[in-house]
Amino acid sequence: MSENKPVAVLSRREVEKRTTLARTTIYRKIKANTFPKQIQVSDNRVGWPESEIDRYLANPMGYRTPEATA
């Protein structure tokens, strides 16, 4: 039996604090496929899955989005 764990979603400010990257750098890296893409949380809110941010932090220089490695 598989367990469905809730996905922890981080706000942009939380992502900035954890990665020490500025907002502009985050969005530039998203465009270059070297940073996790945000997900739509509600009509006016986006966030980043904590697991993806953790994956990025484990190897910031080698991180590529799954689409970029396919």
Side-chain angles (χ1 to χ4, degrees), residues 2-70:
S2 67
E3 293 182 35
N4 291 331
K5 291 185 178 181
V7 176
V9 179
L10 303 175
S11 69
R12 180 185 46 81
R13 288 189 182 182
E14 291 170 317
V15 170
E16 288 175 7
K17 186 182 286 188
R18 288 191 58 186
T19 63
T20 70
L21 297 174
R23 179 186 348 189
T24 304
T25 303
I26 290 170
Y27 287 107
R28 182 176 39 80
K29 290 176 81 57
I30 289 171
K31 189 173 180 179
N33 292 320
T34 58
F35 194 83
K37 293 184 185 208
Q38 69 271 36
I39 58 172
Q40 195 75 37
V41 177
S42 66
D43 287 343
N44 297 316
R45 191 166 176 91
V46 297
W48 283 260
E50 185 176 31
S51 60
E52 282 300 305
I53 297 303
D54 290 341
R55 197 170 135 245
Y56 168 81
L57 289 170
N59 184 11
M61 296 302 289
Y63 180 89
R64 297 290 178 270
T65 58
E67 304 88 49
T69 58

